[in-house]
Amino acid sequence: MLSPLFQKWFSSKGWQVRSHQLTLIEKAFIKQQSTLLIAPTGAGKTLAGFLPTLCDLEQKIENGTISNQLHTIYISPLKALAQDVARNVEQPIHEMGLKIDIETRTGDTPASKKQRQKEKPPHILMTTPEQLSLMLAHPDWLEHFKHLRYLILDELHALVVSKRGDLLALDMARLCQYSPSLVHIGLSATVAAPDSLRGYLMPQINKMTGEIYEPFQKSELVTVASTLEANITVLKTEAAIPWSGHGAAHVIDDIYQIIKAHKTTLIFVNTRRQAEMFFQDLWVINEDNLAIALHHGSLDVTQRRKVEAAMVAGQLKAIVCTSTLDLGIDWGDVDLVINLGAPKGVSRILQRIGRSNHRMNEASKAILVPSNRFEVMECQVAMEAALRGEQDSAEPRTGGLDVLAQHILGVAVSDPFLKQDLYLQICSSWPYRHLSLEDFEQVIDFVATGGYALRAYEEFAKIKVDEDGYHRISNKKIAQNYRMNVGTIVSALMIKIKLVKQSNQRHQPQGAAPFKNRARGGRILGEVEESFIAQLSPGDTFVFAGEVLQFEATYETEAYVIKAPFKDPKIPSYMGGKFPLSTHLADALRMMFSDERRQQILPDQVKEWLVLQKQKSQLPNLDKLLIETFPHKDRFYLVCYPFEGILVHQTLGVLLTRRLERAGAKPLGFVAGEYALSIWGLGDMGKLLENGSLNLADLFAEDMLGDDLDAWLQESSLMKYTFWQCATIAGLIERNQIGEHKTARQTMISSDLIYNVLRTHDPDHILLQATYQEAATGLLDIARLGHMLKRIQGKFNHIALDHVSPLAVPVMLEIGKELVFGEGRESLIYEAAQELIDEAMKE
Amino acid sequence: MTSSINQCDKFEIHHIFHGLELHLHASGAIWLEKLKTLLIADLHLEKGSSLAQKGMLIPPYDTRQTLEKLDEVMAYFKPEHVITLGDNFHDHKGPQRLSKQDLSLLNKLMQRAKFTWIEGNHDNPNYYKSQLSVASQTNDEIFYNPVQHFQLEDISLIHDAAQGAKAPMMVGHLHPLALLKQRNVYLRKTCFFISKDICILPSFGSYTGGLNVRHDAFSPYWDDDTKIFMLNSNQVVQVPITKLVKNKRG
């Protein structure tokens, strides 16, 4: 099947062409079928993905039918990956002496090069989903797309679970309009439901009948099984295992010895904050001066590239990193992966483990390191599930209406459309295959005039319909604005951290002005959320980029810092990084709690903890939700153990407190953990439950998701945040406007005000629907809460205790540790006011 | 995440300003019981449609929401006289864009009390040039005839204090907002700003934001006596000025 040239090249490398590579050539090149390739890292997945393209181009060169047309587009979720893959594919092309042009196009590509590409595209273009949307918004590119033969989607499992995947699917449907016989090749890590990914690669509308395929169309599938079992263990230690917290200080010596004993170790942590803390801790004991580096998404790009280059060159002994290294890039000779903290999900941990021994001929080696007692159990069940090869990766999303709005404007910008044609095209994409005509029309209406029930803006319409029914934009400025606001990644405003020179003067005026000179030539270390910088006062110290820094001043979008004399730093508390525990692992954990025999493999400290819990209270079990009540220091507590992750527990906490307040239990607050939820108040909830004035079935009834949820959503800051994101993606709030630099904060009207007005006066508005849809699966995870409430209906195990139980200790220790967030913030005003009153009373 | 339900008592705020008892209301209005007069500032009616003209199609219900809020406040206090402190409309063509429904609501409100509309810089593009020009774009169907200035006993009512009326003054224009730092948490709320000789009202309109009271624009008005009253969901709360901070940027 391979041409002589390819055969020669493979043997010149001393390689044997792999069977999945041949199968892919057969399906995607010879038979021209769209195909999904599922393979563990290191299986030569990327090269396999390009083989059909290279075979086709080589044949055309041989036949003399090669033309200077765009042939293949490769899409990667990461800019860096696109560049990395370009280099890797250039090599065989160069070695085989093929005259094929490969170029990259990312946000970093200069405008002149982009312009040139638009006039004369390369054969193979490596790019990102956002760039594809931008190209589709230019009529010139549409001509080039007619020649497109292959679309290669890398790391598909990561793309399809985000709004970027929604936008990409819509763009794919458009590409098929210009190139109907386009072949899609998806490259993915092992996932729980490969069929959805296969569906994602295929048009789901039958062009002849205009009907949706039932059952859905699936692409071809090529699977490469991992041939070797991974070697996964949970770290055993003599050290005392903490009750709560997310650090690993207690096992730092163990880990240091392990790093020394291996060639190169990748240490994954869950948040940037943990990365910074652990990196600091390691360097404190790094007597041997091992080359240990730090890598996370907030660090400056050049810094990250340096670390990556050192890694590839084999100069590093260890890297402490966050999920930024989850994807793609080949790191060479990693012989150990350490995962610090909760694994959260099996697929997640398997993908991380796959970063070691990329060569596939050796078993991957990984150690899971729990940071507290609950995590010991989570690590144990995650390890067992991983060894069984189970998967719990998320399913592709149902397409967001906000993304659809952005896309529709994009279509109108470059290619005027008929409503019915566009509807069918959109329904042919996997995430939108069930989109109703009504929703579609509402979204068009929204894009055109805002879609308000009060039809006030007809005269300002962005999209107009001509006599033939074609929808087109009403003026050119709209196209420009669209191009400046493409994309689905809406992030908090980021502030650059700039290291400036120390001042010689002992006394200096306050503020940014005296720093402007010193800032010249200062080094950018990376960036953090504005909300974090806003918490700092000049003189405050924090850890960033592996150094202890002292905050001095802010100027525009930069924060000036100097190196701090080493003292106890105030640790960054970044947003994000809060993945919930997967339902799969949650089930496995509940199972372990209810199975005493299986608990025997746990370390003694944890076993003793569980035995103590059994003596004082009970262990959670599979059938019933364990609820404990007890008094503690003038307060009464209710602790329950749903194991549904922090997002669900937060929402549950808000709704339960509302209900408890109505029931007269006088709740004061709650704290949500990954495994448990604790609510406290002035009323004795244990007594109220026992004398029947409080009823658990009522308290946890499913109708909680009705009026109570609705009432809370009106005020919820998480909901307002979700609305802000949807409104930005949908184009109601513009991130960038022509000729103006607008920061996230300075949009003309706060989205909170818009949210309030819209909820009151147009509650069925399409943008609110988009927001609820997002909230159901996003930050509020209402869907999962709904499943849980259904599961536990009427099944409770209430234990009234005299004091806190061993199992409740971890969540009790969280109280007061975290910053007050969300709804509780409001009450701080009264605290401040009370201080004023107290002061007045003193006088 | 920690959260707690507020158990504090409701705050009733009365403040004596140059002999006049001000009732500071959580809506951002001030009620003068003795004069049966209601003061509000910066309605910015038709801000939504003003921005829609420029391509931002934000919801067009702001006028209705603002008028409904005014309706509620008037139903509660039953004023004989309502005085607005300027920036009644977001732009001077705003009155012509009022929907029929909003216009009729406004007319109803104006039948329930005497209205004095003070003019602001948004109402009249020549506001800063022609102090005394009273003429403005009006809509025939409503009695809308703004004035520059109104005297309430000793107190001058004007839109922008920088226009230099005789102190003491009650004004709007700046949209005061306070950023409170409590336990490392920041809370941003609109507020009343009251010094010895000046009282600045928060903006009343639905789409109006705020300017931090620590911004330079407020510096002429701070004195040893300045008090800040923040508006917090249905309550007015006096807060210690030592806890108020500047915006970190801009």
Side-chain angles (χ1 to χ4, degrees):
Chain A
M1 201 177 309
L2 275 186
S3 72
L5 184 66
F6 278 80
Q7 281 177 10
K8 212 175 99 194
W9 179 74
F10 268 99
S11 51
S12 78
K13 304 296 269 187
W15 293 347
Q16 186 89 43
V17 59
R18 292 184 176 149
S19 70
H20 69 268
Q21 293 172 331
L22 285 177
T23 318
L24 200 66
I25 292 174
E26 186 199 330
K27 288 180 189 295
F29 170 54
I30 296 174
K31 295 187 182 159
Q32 294 281 304
Q33 293 166 320
S34 289
T35 309
L36 173 67
L37 172 62
I38 291 184
T41 36
K45 191 162 48 182
T46 315
L47 180 61
F50 277 93
L51 279 175
T53 289
L54 298 182
C55 288
D56 192 44
L57 283 169
E58 194 227 5
Q59 197 179 57
K60 289 196 163 78
I61 291 171
E62 285 286 304
N63 301 343
T65 54
I66 184 91
S67 61
N68 288 327
Q69 305 288 5
L70 182 65
H71 181 275
T72 294
I73 290 183
Y74 162 90
I75 305 276
S76 143
L78 301 174
K79 281 188 275 191
L81 185 58
Q83 274 143 8
D84 194 51
V85 169
R87 276 191 296 274
N88 290 345
V89 175
E90 259 163 16
Q91 199 185 347
I93 289 175
H94 180 74
E95 287 166 359
M96 284 186 270
L98 292 170
K99 284 196 126 182
I100 297 173
D101 309 324
I102 296 191
E103 285 179 13
T104 56
R105 180 192 164 105
T106 69
D108 299 338
T109 307
S112 58
K113 187 174 170 191
K114 285 181 180 167
Q115 181 67 26
R116 209 258 305 126
Q117 285 173 339
K118 193 168 71 182
E119 283 151 23
K120 186 194 166 299
H123 295 115
I124 302 176
L125 186 64
M126 314 285 205
T127 190
T128 60
E130 289 71 24
Q131 291 297 321
L132 179 60
S133 296
L134 281 171
M135 288 185 269
L136 277 162
H138 272 286
D140 297 359
W141 271 106
L142 303 186
E143 284 304 310
H144 298 311
F145 291 142
K146 291 178 181 163
H147 306 279
L148 194 64
R149 300 298 317 127
Y150 287 97
L151 183 68
I152 304 171
L153 310 167
D154 205 354
E155 305 282 0
L156 190 59
H157 61 281
L159 274 171
V160 297
V161 295
S162 70
K163 287 187 178 181
R164 298 177 84 193
D166 296 351
L167 192 61
L168 179 60
L170 292 166
D171 286 343
M172 285 161 64
R174 265 194 93 187
L175 284 178
C176 284
Q177 176 192 338
Y178 306 117
S179 172
S181 58
L182 181 64
V183 176
H184 297 116
I185 296 174
L187 310 176
S188 168
T190 314
V191 289
D195 277 1
S196 322
L197 260 62
R198 295 169 70 186
Y200 186 93
L201 291 177
M202 300 297 284
Q204 297 301 336
I205 288 279
N206 184 331
K207 273 212 180 123
M208 309 302 287
T209 63
E211 279 167 16
I212 182 163
Y213 285 111
E214 290 290 356
F216 61 86
Q217 287 222 94
K218 289 186 250 180
S219 73
E220 294 295 306
L221 175 67
V222 178
T223 309
V224 184
S226 181
T227 45
L228 288 152
E229 258 184 40
N231 168 0
I232 311 170
T233 51
V234 178
L235 180 72
K236 292 196 174 53
T237 179
E238 299 294 314
I241 304 167
W243 289 85
S244 71
H246 303 285
H250 64 294
V251 285
I252 192 90
D253 291 318
D254 296 306
I255 293 177
Y256 188 68
Q257 294 310 323
I258 292 170
I259 292 172
K260 270 169 86 171
H262 288 81
K263 203 164 147 240
T264 308
T265 306
L266 267 185
I267 304 167
F268 281 106
V269 298
N270 287 331
T271 62
R272 285 170 279 173
R273 169 182 164 159
Q274 284 171 309
E276 291 281 0
M277 282 171 69
F278 191 67
F279 179 75
Q280 282 284 313
D281 289 349
L282 271 179
W283 271 95
V284 169
I285 59 159
N286 189 1
E287 294 161 349
D288 308 272
N289 258 318
L290 303 180
I292 299 174
L294 177 67
H295 192 289
H296 61 69
S298 275
L299 295 177
D300 187 53
V301 181
T302 48
Q303 179 119 347
R304 274 186 274 160
R305 295 294 162 265
K306 246 190 241 169
V307 172
E308 288 159 14
M311 185 72 188
V312 172
Q315 293 161 347
L316 297 180
K317 193 73 183 160
I319 299 188
V320 180
C321 59
T322 58
S323 52
T324 46
L325 288 191
D326 273 1
L327 293 177
I329 303 156
D330 190 342
W331 295 118
D333 292 330
V334 175
D335 58 345
L336 175 68
V337 167
I338 291 180
N339 189 79
L340 216 91
K344 313 267 187 181
V346 192
S347 295
R348 189 161 174 269
I349 218 72
L350 280 169
Q351 274 157 35
R352 289 183 162 188
I353 291 169
R355 308 312 306 168
S356 96
N357 281 329
H358 243 179
R359 300 288 167 244
M360 254 188 84
N361 44 9
E362 285 169 75
S364 299
K365 185 173 175 190
I367 301 177
L368 308 183
V369 180
S371 43
N372 59 52
R373 292 166 180 223
F374 266 116
E375 283 182 7
V376 171
M377 299 181 71
E378 190 183 323
C379 285
Q380 182 67 32
V381 294
M383 178 195 82
E384 290 171 10
L387 288 175
R388 285 193 296 270
E390 289 167 14
Q391 293 286 347
D392 57 1
S393 56
E395 283 267 322
R397 292 162 38 92
T398 298
L401 297 173
D402 50 345
V403 180
L404 183 60
Q406 186 183 103
H407 177 74
I408 287 175
L409 187 60
V411 179
V413 159
S414 62
D415 199 2
F417 62 86
L418 291 169
K419 209 186 240 180
Q420 184 58 21
D421 290 354
L422 184 63
Y423 177 62
L424 286 182
Q425 186 188 94
I426 284 165
C427 290
S428 75
S429 77
W430 174 264
Y432 294 92
R433 66 195 189 283
H434 298 307
L435 179 73
S436 70
L437 182 61
E438 194 194 345
D439 280 356
F440 170 72
E441 287 184 333
Q442 281 195 51
V443 175
I444 289 209
D445 203 22
F446 164 79
V447 177
T449 64
Y452 302 108
L454 177 71
R455 309 210 55 91
Y457 296 155
E458 304 293 332
E459 57 181 314
F460 312 130
K462 285 187 184 174
I463 294 181
K464 297 209 162 136
V465 189
D466 66 19
E467 292 151 12
D468 301 329
Y470 280 92
H471 291 60
R472 60 183 84 232
I473 49 167
S474 44
N475 65 61
K476 271 194 176 159
K477 192 178 157 237
I478 292 164
Q480 274 173 291
N481 252 333
Y482 166 81
R483 289 185 194 118
M484 293 181 71
N485 289 283
V486 163
T488 59
I489 301 169
V490 182
S491 55
L493 181 64
M494 300 301 277
I495 300 284
K496 290 195 173 72
I497 304 278
K498 191 171 207 175
L499 187 64
V500 300
K501 282 174 267 177
Q502 301 267 5
S503 168
N504 305 326
Q505 292 160 308
R506 190 159 292 167
H507 299 288
Q508 49 188 324
Q510 289 257 310
F515 286 95
K516 277 183 211 161
N517 279 336
R518 285 160 56 195
R520 211 168 290 145
R523 183 160 59 99
I524 303 277
L525 299 175
E527 51 184 26
V528 297
E529 285 83 4
E530 188 197 24
S531 55
F532 171 67
I533 291 296
Q535 290 174 37
L536 302 177
S537 306
D540 278 354
T541 58
F542 62 103
V543 182
F544 188 81
E547 295 183 79
V548 183
L549 303 170
Q550 182 171 317
F551 173 68
E552 299 278 289
T554 51
Y555 178 67
E556 290 178 348
T557 55
E558 292 181 350
Y560 298 152
V561 299
I562 56 171
K563 282 196 186 174
F566 194 83
K567 50 184 171 184
D568 270 348
K570 178 173 173 171
I571 304 293
S573 74
Y574 300 113
M575 290 237 314
K578 284 195 172 169
F579 294 97
L581 178 68
S582 80
T583 48
H584 186 78
L585 277 189
D587 288 343
L589 257 180
R590 275 191 291 266
M591 207 107 85
M592 179 142 214
F593 267 106
S594 59
D595 185 345
E596 277 181 46
R597 272 177 316 142
R598 282 188 51 207
Q599 293 163 13
Q600 295 316 309
I601 38 174
L602 295 169
D604 289 345
Q605 294 179 54
V606 178
K607 261 189 289 191
E608 283 158 20
W609 177 53
L610 296 181
V611 168
L612 208 60
Q613 169 70 14
K614 228 177 106 188
Q615 286 167 0
K616 307 266 179 192
S617 172
Q618 280 190 18
L619 286 174
N621 65 43
L622 273 180
D623 310 321
K624 291 180 172 176
L625 177 67
L626 175 64
I627 293 168
E628 295 172 332
T629 50
F630 50 85
H632 180 69
K633 287 189 185 164
D634 344 322
R635 298 267 191 269
F636 294 95
Y637 289 79
L638 181 151
V639 177
C640 60
Y641 303 87
F643 296 97
E644 295 291 353
I646 196 155
L647 299 179
V648 169
H649 295 166
Q650 275 174 5
T651 307
L652 183 63
V654 172
L655 299 180
L656 283 180
T657 24
R658 288 181 83 96
R659 297 195 145 198
L660 283 166
E661 179 154 49
R662 272 208 304 276
K666 298 182 195 140
L668 291 174
F670 70 85
V671 60
E674 274 294 294
Y675 313 101
L677 167 70
S678 170
I679 301 176
W680 61 91
L682 297 169
D684 185 345
M685 290 171 273
K687 199 174 266 172
L688 292 173
L689 284 171
E690 281 184 344
N691 69 23
S693 41
L694 197 63
N695 177 310
L696 285 174
D698 292 345
L699 196 58
F700 283 86
E702 280 184 271
D703 64 10
M704 177 192 296
L705 298 181
D707 292 349
D708 277 315
L709 179 67
D710 204 53
W712 174 55
L713 289 184
Q714 291 202 34
E715 293 303 317
S716 161
S717 53
L718 289 175
M719 198 66 184
K720 286 175 182 167
Y721 179 75
T722 306
F723 177 78
W724 170 66
Q725 288 188 313
C726 287
T728 308
I729 290 170
L732 184 67
I733 303 170
E734 283 161 358
R735 277 168 283 194
N736 303 299
Q737 281 188 326
I738 307 159
E740 289 175 67
H741 264 293
K742 294 224 168 260
T743 61
R745 261 288 156 64
Q746 289 167 321
T747 40
M748 295 183 79
I749 299 178
S750 127
S751 68
D752 292 4
L753 297 176
I754 298 177
Y755 175 74
N756 291 339
V757 167
L758 204 52
R759 259 196 81 103
T760 314
H761 295 277
D762 212 336
D764 299 325
H765 191 264
I766 193 78
L767 203 55
L768 291 175
Q769 288 181 38
T771 307
Y772 301 145
Q773 185 195 338
E774 184 62 20
T777 51
L779 278 174
L780 290 92
D781 218 349
I782 293 159
R784 186 164 170 187
L785 177 58
H787 287 139
M788 176 216 142
L789 293 176
K790 192 174 214 118
R791 193 185 71 231
I792 57 150
Q793 255 180 5
K795 291 176 243 164
F796 304 100
N797 199 4
H798 171 228
I799 316 256
L801 300 167
D802 297 334
H803 46 75
V804 54
S805 77
L807 216 54
V809 169
V811 72
M812 297 288 287
L813 287 172
E814 294 287 327
I815 296 172
K817 235 191 224 174
E818 290 201 33
L819 281 179
V820 185
F821 175 62
E823 324 317 316
R825 297 169 64 103
E826 303 272 298
S827 59
L828 287 174
I829 280 198
Y830 301 105
E831 196 179 286
Q834 192 59 44
E835 287 171 28
L836 189 71
I837 294 164
D838 292 347
E839 203 183 299
M841 300 297 270
K842 250 188 263 165
E843 278 165 10
Chain B
M1 171 168 127
T2 315
S3 183
S4 43
I5 290 169
N6 154 45
Q7 296 284 321
C8 290
D9 295 320
K10 299 228 176 218
F11 283 77
E12 283 279 320
I13 298 277
H14 296 257
H15 181 83
I16 308 291
F17 183 72
H18 288 269
L20 200 57
E21 188 184 12
L22 313 181
H23 186 128
L24 309 181
H25 189 250
S27 63
I30 288 183
W31 172 239
L32 308 171
E33 176 70 37
K34 194 179 92 179
L35 303 168
K36 298 281 177 222
T37 295
L38 188 73
L39 298 180
I40 47 177
D42 295 278
L43 271 63
H44 288 262
L45 298 173
E46 293 300 310
K47 181 167 178 180
S49 61
S50 183
L51 293 174
Q53 289 177 316
K54 293 173 189 152
M56 281 183 79
L57 303 177
I58 55 170
Y61 308 103
D62 53 318
T63 300
R64 187 166 312 166
Q65 176 128 329
T66 305
L67 293 178
E68 281 172 357
K69 182 166 127 186
L70 180 57
D71 189 10
E72 269 176 44
V73 177
M74 286 177 68
Y76 181 73
F77 290 115
K78 306 201 169 49
E80 288 166 4
H81 190 186
V82 176
I83 306 173
T84 73
L85 296 176
D87 283 1
N88 309 312
F89 286 90
H90 190 66
D91 62 72
H92 68 283
K93 290 195 173 151
Q96 287 134 25
R97 292 197 308 272
L98 275 175
S99 72
K100 271 203 179 123
Q101 208 179 342
D102 293 342
L103 188 62
S104 93
L105 177 54
L106 183 55
N107 271 325
K108 261 202 299 201
L109 295 179
M110 290 178 68
Q111 279 157 22
R112 291 201 336 235
K114 177 190 169 197
F115 267 67
T116 300
W117 301 92
I118 291 174
E119 190 176 68
N121 51 308
H122 278 262
D123 300 304
N124 178 358
N126 297 317
Y127 177 76
Y128 290 108
K129 286 185 210 145
S130 56
Q131 235 336 307
L132 293 171
S133 139
V134 178
S136 66
Q137 302 276 346
T138 59
N139 190 306
D140 297 340
E141 288 181 59
I142 58 164
F143 179 78
Y144 177 65
N145 192 11
V147 298
Q148 289 287 332
H149 170 264
F150 190 87
Q151 197 67 28
L152 204 66
E153 300 188 338
D154 291 345
I155 302 167
S156 307
L157 304 185
I158 189 165
H159 176 59
D160 180 358
Q163 289 295 87
K166 191 170 154 283
M169 281 185 278
M170 293 177 80
V171 300
H173 185 62
L174 287 175
H175 303 208
L177 170 146
L179 186 59
L180 176 86
K181 184 178 182 180
Q182 175 75 5
R183 278 207 267 156
N184 257 342
V185 175
Y186 287 78
L187 282 155
R188 182 184 295 270
K189 301 276 174 185
T190 55
C191 64
F192 292 96
F193 178 104
I194 307 182
S195 292
K196 193 167 156 288
D197 282 332
I198 187 165
C199 166
I200 310 176
L201 277 76
S203 55
F204 193 85
S206 330
Y207 278 165
T208 52
L211 181 69
N212 194 323
V213 293
R214 293 289 187 195
H215 188 276
D216 290 347
F218 282 92
S219 37
Y221 312 120
W222 280 95
D223 62 26
D224 295 344
D225 228 26
T226 302
K227 291 181 175 63
I228 298 292
F229 302 88
M230 290 173 85
L231 307 185
N232 191 34
S233 45
N234 300 324
Q235 286 161 44
V236 180
V237 191
Q238 190 188 351
V239 292
I241 55 169
T242 48
K243 299 231 163 188
L244 301 180
V245 294
K246 275 190 179 184
N247 288 10
K248 288 288 174 180
R249 244 173 4 85

